[in-house]
Structures are given as structure tokens and as C-alpha cells.
Amino acid sequence: MAARIHGGAGAGAATALSTFNPKKLVAPPSRTNLPARNSKRYIVSAAAGSDGSKKSLLRVRHSQKLIANAAVATKAEESSAPTGTGHELLLFEALQEGLEEEMDRDPHVCVMGEDVGHYGGSYKVTKGLADKFGDLRVLDTPICENAFTGMGIGAAMTGLRPVIEGMNMGFLLLAFNQISNNCGMLHYTSGGQFTIPVVIRGPGGVGRQLGAEHSQRLESYFQSIPGIQMVACSTPYNAKGLMKAAIRSENPVILFEHVLLYNLKEKIPDEEYICNLEEAEMVRPGEHITILTYSRMRYHVMQAAKTLVNKGYDPEVIDIRSLKPFDLHTIGNSVKKTHRVLIVEECMRTGGIGASLTAAINENFHDYLDAPVMCLSSQDVPTPYAGTLEEWTVVQPAQIVTAVEQLCQ
Amino acid sequence: MALSRLSLRSNPFLKPSTTSIRRHVSTDTTPITIETAVPFESHLCDAPSRSVVTSSSEILSFFRDMARMRRTEIAADSLYKAKMIRGFCHLYDGQEALAVGMEAAITKKDAIITSYRDHCTFLGRGGELVEAFSELMGRKRGCSNGKGGSMHFYKKDACFYGGHGIVGAQIPLGCGLAFAQKYSKEEFVTFALYGDGAANQGQLFEALNIAALWDLPAILVCENNHYGMGTATWRSAKSPAYFKRGDYVPGLKVDGMDALAVKQACKFAKEHALKNGPIVLEMDTYRYHGHSMSDPGSTYRTRDEVSGVRQVRDPIERVRKLLLSYDIATEKELKDMEKEVRKEVDDAVAQAKESPVPEPSELFTNMYVKDCGVESFGADRKELKVTLT
């Protein structure tokens, strides 16, 4: 079963990937040597017209049917219907499918975490796996994040490929030493002798009144660790694809899921596919402004995008997906096109992913910016319990609309 | 293993004329049984017998290997004072019996993982002297290409997993190694070494719990040299009986300055771990140097104490006395062996000094393993730029 690598966009079975020619959009002497990309391309209509309203020009072959639920208010987005059959499932089922396929494929893959086995996983991502693969491959650990993360890393040094689950990402703070010093650094300090092919995953982000300690966004803490890769999934399609790619990767990968996105429904292809770990996803191409986002904020942005389109703006929405390293190629081309950037993230303002991304864009694409990079992040507060207060800590669609209007003046 | 190492003819540094003429001690494997001086203390298990089966070639190999380790550490001391080794340098002299005794009981497929005091363990696993010194001096020829340093020696082909700077962090890693061994169903064990200071780390107990719960073939070895940097064990541990700290995990206390006792204990532990799961070994040992080169080692203990241990319990002297009393070698032969070892070490140091420093592009190698064609920049963002692979 050959896996096909889809560049970001969801797809039907037999999509012809038109090669994305960066020169078409951009005619600059590139100030930075953006690495040469091959093969994995998006299907983006390069010949977009120049008028404001582009409601119908969504030629991205998306098969993203998002069913509205209480957690995330979205609308079904439909362009061309997928040609394959595909099957519909929820995001946590997509993760499980990816995990199960990889465990079938490679006997070295094992899962360890709290209540992943007999209980089926606190978010049901590992449901049924213990019955299928046994206790040695799906391990219920005691509550000792430091020790079982270290164990996973030690096992990885010998060639096993553990998938370590933090029941909530926040608990992985207890394993920070293992993740930073051992996971990230052992490949380097051993002169390349050991590889650490672990996947560390778990739900994070602000949920529904879960309290401060259970609403943490660890991507900002982990982003400095050299030697690891970080990805954030946001749809069932990319959740499965990223899970599979992360397991197959020889590098340690931290896969950030979001507590509120587990029940998203989408139709995904039947055949095997993986997503590129270092690539961003073009959600909605546009002309006026580039909105960079990831994980749950993608849905807030898309909601704001509807309002913006009604008001006559044409935002380009990119789900950056790869939090470390940033896909500066996609981002850069977008900046060169639109000249305005808005970053919408759930991290806190101080030291978050948005802060690093702002710096990276300013450094690399300064000449192409017509306005300063704006970054909308969560407030620098512990997430309060009260519902109204919690709502105000994260970025809401109305704020995104205001920000775009401000930037596009 | 001890035999092939001992064959003097294969060692390029030696002149054949130093081979003993009257007895073939280098290859004599007739078993000799020796009683250990100190009895084993056990917790939740039956202690192994005090009679250790060994042979003259093995004892001679102990002597040679320990002499090599001792000379390496002393050479590292002078190199550090000459500022050729920088940063941290933790020396193992006094504890050599642990490294050689353990090696004698196990194979190269059994895994060892230890803390930052790893030079001699690396040598015991078959690491080359020149690799060790190059790594200490930050040269390309080093076992980690000069990028690890004193605390990060590794040797994958000999299942030596390092070399870790953070106290106690290697213990969960060691249990992970044991888990992988159990997963692959091969009959090998893991020795996870830590010190009396690390014995108070929470992750030790977390890892012990998991290892006992899942019956992992993990042997946790506490190298109790009685000082956690400057803090003596009576000041840091309410219960300094580290072999009992496992509570539900059996333990054994061993005289860590006696290479034969160490060998017996490790052999016993390996058999135990393969059948019954984890076991804790406490090795009663001592370090002559301070915690590291920046610690004189005399502010928290008296010089008399150090010289006292050196006179009464030194591991190399004990083996020397054994060799002499069992008439396996003469004074002169042993002295000559020491001279050869000294020359070996000096040659390795000279070779290591010749080795070049790593290239600037090495800064970015081995960050990721392939399939990550992104860029990384040096501090000035312009001069040093490389695509990470």
C-alpha cells in the first residue's frame, strides 16, 4: 500500500496535483534561500482575479464537511465534491485509525500512557487497541509522567517507536526534563548514534471551563527545545495524516491535539495517506491579508472569514500545522502576495508561537510587509473557571474581524 | 571477552618480551575460587555465595583494565588543569572495580546506562582510549564527535547508553531499555547506574514501580560513594540503606571496591532479573577525587579519610595482592604492566591532541534525522546557514 503524501489540502481519490510554481506568484529575488521543495504541492488557483469578492473561487479541492457542534461553530465548506468514496469519522477516530494502521504496519510501534489500554483512553483515541494488540504494546502506566516519558525515550534509543500520551498536555510539564534534555538532545550529543523516534501527543488548549491547570498550551514552552519537531492537528484529515507521519518520522515529534476538536466530523479518504510534517495547509486562498493560525483558532478564523467576506475582504487563511519548524516557504509566498499578516493563536502573548512567528516573518519578509505583523493571542493569565472570563481569555471571531479591518485600512 | 583482551600478542602497544615465560597466565582459565572479604547483605532475597569462581587470566585482566582506567582518570585530571578539558569533568578513580566487575559478569548485549561519571564505564564497554580523550578535549575523533563532552559518552554497538548530565534522569531511560529488551524477547538485562545523591530522586521510585509492575529485566545499581557532591549520605538520606529503598523490590549490598564481589553480585542480579524482575544493587564504593574537577574534595571530608580508604580498600591494590598471593604474577611483571598501560594512555592522549576540532558545519549536523529540509541559522543569521537534514 503506497502512501500518498498530500500537500495539505484534503483530497478525493484521484486528484491531479498541479505543481505549484512559486515563480508565478512571486517575482522577487528571494532574500532568504527558501529550501527547494519538490513534489508535495497544494492545489491553489494561481490565476485568481483581482476583484474583491471571491466567494465562489474556492478551487481548493477540499472535501471538508464540518458538522457544526456546540464546541466549534462552523459551516460546511464545499467546493468540488471528492471523487473517491471516503468514509466519515470524528477526529479522535481518525487519530485512532492512524495509530492502528501504524501499529499494524510496524511491530515496533507501541503506546504508553495513563489509561490508554483497558480504559480505552480518556478521549478514546486508543480505544480497542489494547484488545487488539495486547498489554505489551498498549501500556497502562501508573501516574508518573517523568518516568514513563523517560522510559519511552529509553526504549526509543534501542529502536522501538513509542507513542507517549499525556492525558492532558499540561501533565507533560512533569516530564519536561526528559523531553528537553533526553528526547531533544540525545541524537546530537551522541554524535548521531541514537535516534529517538518517539511521538509525544496529547490534548491541550483551552477547553470548556476546565480550570487553569487543565487549559495549558505547552507549544510555547516546548518550542525552544532543539531537536524536536512540533505539529498541531486541526481536522480529522490532517490528524490522521500527521499521526502517521509522526510515527514514521525518525525524529521526536510532539503532536498537539485540542480538547475541543475531538468531535469534529469529516470525510477522509479510504486509501492510505500521510501528511507532510513540515508543511502548512492552505485553508482558504485570498488576496488581501494572510491570516496564520493553527489548531482550534482555525475555526474561529474561518468563522471570522465569513463575516469578512460579507464585508468585502478576501483573507487568505493558512493553518500553519507545523509549529517547529515553521513552513516559511508557504508563509513567505503568502506574505509576498498579500503584504499583510495577522497571526491568530491560542498561546499566550508572551513567548508564544505567535511571538516567534512574528519575529520570523519580520526578519525574513520585512520588505514585503505593508503593515506591521499583528498577533492576536490569548491573554497572559491563568485561564479562569468562569465561563465569561474564559471566553475573554481566548481570541474570538469578532476580534479577528476588527483586526483585519484595522490592518487593511 | 577477558581472554581476547588479554592476549598480549594482539596488543600493538606491547612488546612480546614482557610475556611471562614461566606460566601462561595470560591465557590460563583454570577456575580458582576466592572468597570475598565482606559478606553480602540482602533484602527480600537470598544473598549469593561468597565464593567467586574466577581464573588467573580474569584477575589479571581486572588488574590491567583497572590500571588503564586509573591512568585515564589521572591523565584527565592533568589535562583539565592544563585547560585542555573544559566544563565539567567527573572522575571515577577509586570506583574502577565496579566497571570491571560488572563487565566480567555480563555480555556486550546487556545494556548499561549511567550518569555523568562515565569515562571508565565507557572504557569497560570497549571504548577506545583515543576516542575518550578526543571527546574530552572536544575533538572530531571523540566518541560523540566532540559534541557531547565528558558527560555524554555513548557506544551504541556495545549497548552503552551513556553518559547523562541530569542527576537521576537516566533511571527511567534505563527502565525503558529494559522494557525494549523485554519487548524484543531477547534474554538480556539492563544495568541502570546512579549515585547515592540520585537515590533521592522521585523518578527513581516511579521507574522502580513500573519495572516491578511489568517485570522488566532492570537492575538498578546505586554507586554509593557516600557523598552527593558535598553532602554526605547521613545528611541527605533518612534511610541510607539504599538497597532496601526498593521496598518491594529485592536488594543486595555489595563491597564495591572488590571486583570479584561486584562480579558475583552482577551475575546473581542478571539471573534474578531475567526470572523475577528488577533488583537493586548497592555498591559500597569511594571516589578519591572530589565530585568534579571544580571540587577539591576536601571541604567535606578529611584527607585522612581519603588516604585511609586508599590504603585499606583500594581496588587495584587488592587485586595486586591477590595476584601476588596466588602467585599469578610477580611484582615486576605487574609494574611492567602498569608501565605499558601508562604508555598506552600517554599515546592515546598524544593522538587525541592531534585530532582536529569539529568543522563549523558540524554545528548543525545530527540535529534531526533526515526528511526535515529546513534551514537553520547561526547566531548572526547570515554567515552560518545550513539546511537541516
Side-chain angles (χ1 to χ4, degrees):
Chain A
M1 243 201 307
R4 250 194 287 151
I5 302 175
H6 288 236
T15 51
L17 298 174
S18 55
T19 313
F20 177 72
N21 187 349
K23 295 203 186 66
K24 260 203 192 171
L25 278 182
V26 173
S30 45
R31 295 177 68 230
T32 54
N33 291 341
L34 293 172
R37 310 299 279 234
N38 51 359
S39 77
K40 313 150 201 122
R41 289 297 99 204
Y42 316 109
I43 312 150
V44 175
S45 67
S50 52
D51 58 292
S53 65
K54 294 204 185 27
K55 282 178 253 200
S56 55
L57 267 184
L58 273 178
R59 282 185 236 154
V60 179
R61 300 260 188 109
H62 248 175
S63 67
Q64 218 180 358
K65 273 175 97 144
L66 300 172
I67 310 297
N69 60 22
V72 181
T74 65
K75 196 168 60 84
E77 199 83 75
E78 215 162 25
S79 45
S80 44
T83 46
T85 39
H87 56 286
E88 214 171 50
L89 40 52
L90 304 176
L91 196 145
F92 74 86
E93 291 170 343
L95 286 167
Q96 187 207 20
E97 218 175 73
L99 191 45
E100 196 173 335
E101 284 176 18
E102 288 304 302
M103 288 182 79
D104 273 327
R105 178 180 173 271
D106 184 351
H108 290 103
V109 181
C110 53
V111 181
M112 47 179 80
E114 294 156 14
D115 277 330
V116 294
H118 293 210
Y119 189 82
S122 55
Y123 290 94
K124 295 184 287 214
V125 173
T126 51
K127 192 159 165 215
L129 295 182
D131 293 327
K132 183 169 175 188
F133 295 108
D135 279 343
L136 199 59
R137 287 188 74 187
V138 183
L139 297 144
D140 279 323
T141 62
I143 306 177
C144 46
E145 281 76 9
N146 197 351
F148 71 72
T149 309
M151 272 192 63
I153 296 166
M157 283 167 93
T158 66
L160 286 192
R161 305 182 89 92
V163 176
I164 301 169
E165 172 174 314
M167 192 183 269
N168 185 292
M169 267 288 173
F171 306 159
L172 290 181
L173 286 174
L174 289 158
F176 205 110
N177 174 53
Q178 296 290 348
I179 296 173
S180 166
N181 289 330
N182 291 332
C183 180
M185 297 192 191
L186 270 172
H187 184 61
Y188 190 86
T189 56
S190 68
Q193 285 180 67
F194 299 113
T195 58
I196 319 284
V198 293
V199 177
I200 298 174
R201 50 161 291 269
V206 176
R208 287 262 171 266
Q209 297 186 259
L210 297 177
E213 290 162 330
H214 292 75
S215 313
Q216 303 207 59
R217 288 128 281 172
L218 292 206
E219 52 267 25
S220 49
Y221 303 157
F222 287 143
Q223 64 176 323
S224 283
I225 300 175
I228 58 162
Q229 280 185 256
M230 308 199 309
V231 287
C233 63
S234 49
T235 65
Y237 179 85
N238 62 34
K240 179 176 174 186
L242 290 174
M243 169 75 94
K244 287 170 72 92
I247 294 176
R248 293 191 196 184
S249 167
E250 294 295 323
N251 297 308
V253 179
I254 306 186
L255 172 58
F256 290 93
E257 303 153 12
H258 197 288
V259 277
L260 294 182
L261 297 184
Y262 277 130
N263 289 323
L264 280 181
K265 201 183 247 189
E266 188 185 3
K267 198 172 223 175
I268 64 170
D270 284 329
E271 71 270 12
E272 198 182 7
Y273 70 92
I274 64 178
C275 289
N276 193 330
L277 283 176
E278 297 99 21
E279 237 169 27
E281 186 178 324
M282 177 70 71
V283 183
R284 179 193 189 283
E287 292 290 316
H288 288 167
I289 181 172
T290 300
I291 306 183
L292 301 172
T293 181
Y294 66 93
S295 194
R296 182 186 168 215
M297 286 297 118
R298 167 185 174 141
Y299 297 97
H300 282 206
V301 167
M302 290 311 289
Q303 208 181 335
K306 278 173 208 50
T307 318
L308 286 167
V309 165
N310 286 334
K311 291 193 176 188
Y313 294 97
D314 183 25
E316 176 155 295
V317 180
I318 295 178
D319 181 344
I320 61 174
R321 254 175 30 188
S322 172
L323 304 179
K324 184 184 169 91
F326 292 131
D327 182 5
L328 287 180
H329 185 83
T330 311
I331 295 171
N333 281 320
S334 178
V335 174
K336 286 170 189 169
K337 180 167 65 158
T338 65
H339 310 298
R340 290 180 169 78
V341 182
L342 172 66
I343 301 170
V344 180
E345 56 156 358
E346 205 173 325
C347 270
M348 290 184 256
R349 186 68 187 87
T350 307
I353 297 287
S356 305
L357 194 48
T358 308
I361 294 174
N362 277 325
E363 259 174 19
N364 290 304
F365 308 120
H366 186 257
D367 281 351
Y368 302 104
L369 291 170
D370 283 347
V373 175
M374 199 189 279
C375 182
L376 294 178
S377 331
S378 299
Q379 305 305 315
D380 282 314
V381 294
T383 313
Y385 166 72
T388 41
L389 292 181
E390 187 187 64
E391 223 176 87
W392 294 333
T393 50
V394 294
V395 180
Q396 299 296 336
Q399 294 165 304
I400 302 173
V401 172
T402 317
V404 171
E405 288 175 337
Q406 212 178 326
L407 270 177
C408 284
Q409 267 160 8
Chain B
M1 192 65 231
L3 278 178
S4 56
R5 193 111 56 75
L6 241 231
S7 162
L8 299 172
R9 274 162 253 291
S10 66
N11 191 323
F13 288 101
L14 291 185
K15 307 189 238 354
S17 59
T18 54
T19 324
S20 144
I21 307 165
R22 27 194 177 103
R23 324 168 276 284
H24 298 290
V25 290
S26 58
T27 49
D28 187 356
T29 50
T30 14
I32 311 174
T33 309
I34 302 181
E35 276 251 325
T36 64
V38 175
F40 297 108
E41 272 180 66
S42 71
H43 168 73
L44 290 187
C45 65
D46 293 322
S49 143
R50 278 169 73 174
S51 312
V52 187
V53 173
T54 176
S55 67
S56 47
S57 70
E58 185 171 67
I59 307 180
L60 211 51
S61 80
F62 282 176
F63 182 83
R64 175 180 286 280
D65 291 337
M66 286 201 281
R68 185 184 294 119
M69 290 175 183
R70 177 70 60 93
R71 267 262 50 94
T72 303
E73 297 300 69
I74 296 184
D77 179 299
S78 1
L79 284 175
Y80 192 91
K81 288 178 176 143
K83 292 207 198 294
M84 304 216 66
I85 301 177
R86 314 304 300 273
F88 292 123
C89 189
H90 306 86
L91 298 177
Y92 203 71
D93 51 328
Q95 300 183 212
E96 299 92 349
L98 232 163
V100 295
M102 191 178 289
E103 287 300 327
I106 62 178
T107 69
K108 286 290 186 286
K109 290 280 184 77
D110 296 303
I112 297 185
I113 189 169
T114 183
S115 65
Y116 42 77
R117 211 176 291 278
D118 56 353
H119 307 164
C120 299
T121 322
F122 172 73
L123 294 178
R125 289 263 92 180
E128 286 179 28
L129 283 168
V130 70
E131 273 179 3
F133 285 113
S134 306
E135 186 62 37
L136 286 172
M137 294 196 271
R139 308 296 173 97
K140 232 166 43 170
R141 182 95 191 265
C143 47
S144 300
N145 301 338
K147 301 207 288 194
S150 159
M151 299 189 283
H152 299 286
F153 281 22
Y154 304 92
K155 195 165 169 60
K156 183 171 183 183
D157 51 10
C159 291
F160 176 53
Y161 291 90
H164 295 273
I166 303 293
V167 169
Q170 75 273 13
I171 304 169
L173 289 184
C175 290
L177 298 171
F179 171 70
Q181 285 169 331
K182 179 169 179 151
Y183 194 96
S184 64
K185 300 195 179 19
E186 294 166 7
E187 301 275 292
F188 297 117
V189 296
T190 300
F191 284 81
L193 280 64
Y194 60 95
D196 46 284
N200 298 316
Q201 274 269 319
Q203 48 192 326
L204 166 68
F205 297 96
E206 293 178 9
L208 252 184
N209 179 39
I210 295 189
L213 198 57
W214 295 347
D215 270 323
L216 301 182
I219 298 156
L220 274 68
V221 181
C222 178
E223 298 178 290
N224 182 6
N225 55 26
H226 302 281
Y227 294 93
M229 199 158 89
T231 309
T233 49
W234 62 270
R235 285 180 54 216
S236 69
K238 182 74 179 169
S239 157
Y242 297 103
F243 68 110
K244 290 194 185 155
R245 291 264 201 106
D247 188 20
Y248 40 82
V249 173
L252 196 66
K253 182 163 172 174
V254 187
D255 177 6
M257 307 291 257
D258 181 351
L260 291 169
V262 171
K263 173 189 166 185
Q264 183 82 329
C266 291
K267 198 150 146 295
F268 170 76
K270 177 170 174 173
E271 282 159 17
H272 184 280
L274 284 172
K275 275 204 314 271
N276 302 328
I279 180 171
V280 178
L281 295 180
E282 180 187 335
M283 303 284 184
D284 188 350
T285 179
Y286 200 85
R287 55 167 163 81
Y288 298 141
H289 270 89
H291 165 73
S292 70
M293 287 305 298
S294 50
D295 168 28
S298 51
T299 52
Y300 46 87
R301 50 186 192 177
T302 60
R303 289 194 204 281
D304 288 338
E305 181 188 305
V306 183
S307 51
V309 173
R310 208 189 268 273
Q311 270 161 16
V312 176
R313 298 180 68 199
D314 185 73
I316 303 182
E317 289 312 305
R318 285 164 90 145
V319 173
R320 191 198 301 271
K321 284 198 193 98
L322 254 182
L323 290 168
L324 295 176
S325 68
Y326 276 76
D327 207 20
I328 300 176
T330 63
E331 249 328 312
K332 183 175 180 315
E333 282 167 350
L334 296 179
K335 281 234 156 44
D336 286 340
M337 214 180 271
E338 280 179 311
K339 276 208 204 89
E340 281 156 20
V341 160
R342 184 169 185 148
K343 184 171 183 318
E344 216 182 308
V345 169
D346 288 342
D347 284 345
V349 171
Q351 247 189 306
K353 281 184 182 162
E354 305 276 306
S355 170
V357 290
E359 314 277 320
S361 61
E362 281 281 316
L363 180 60
F364 299 108
T365 58
N366 296 130
M367 271 291 302
Y368 296 103
V369 182
K370 287 181 58 185
D371 66 53
C372 186
V374 287
E375 289 201 300
S376 183
F377 300 91
D380 65 353
R381 311 295 294 179
K382 295 221 177 354
E383 259 187 38
L384 213 48
K385 189 197 308 199
V386 92
T387 307
L388 291 174
T389 49

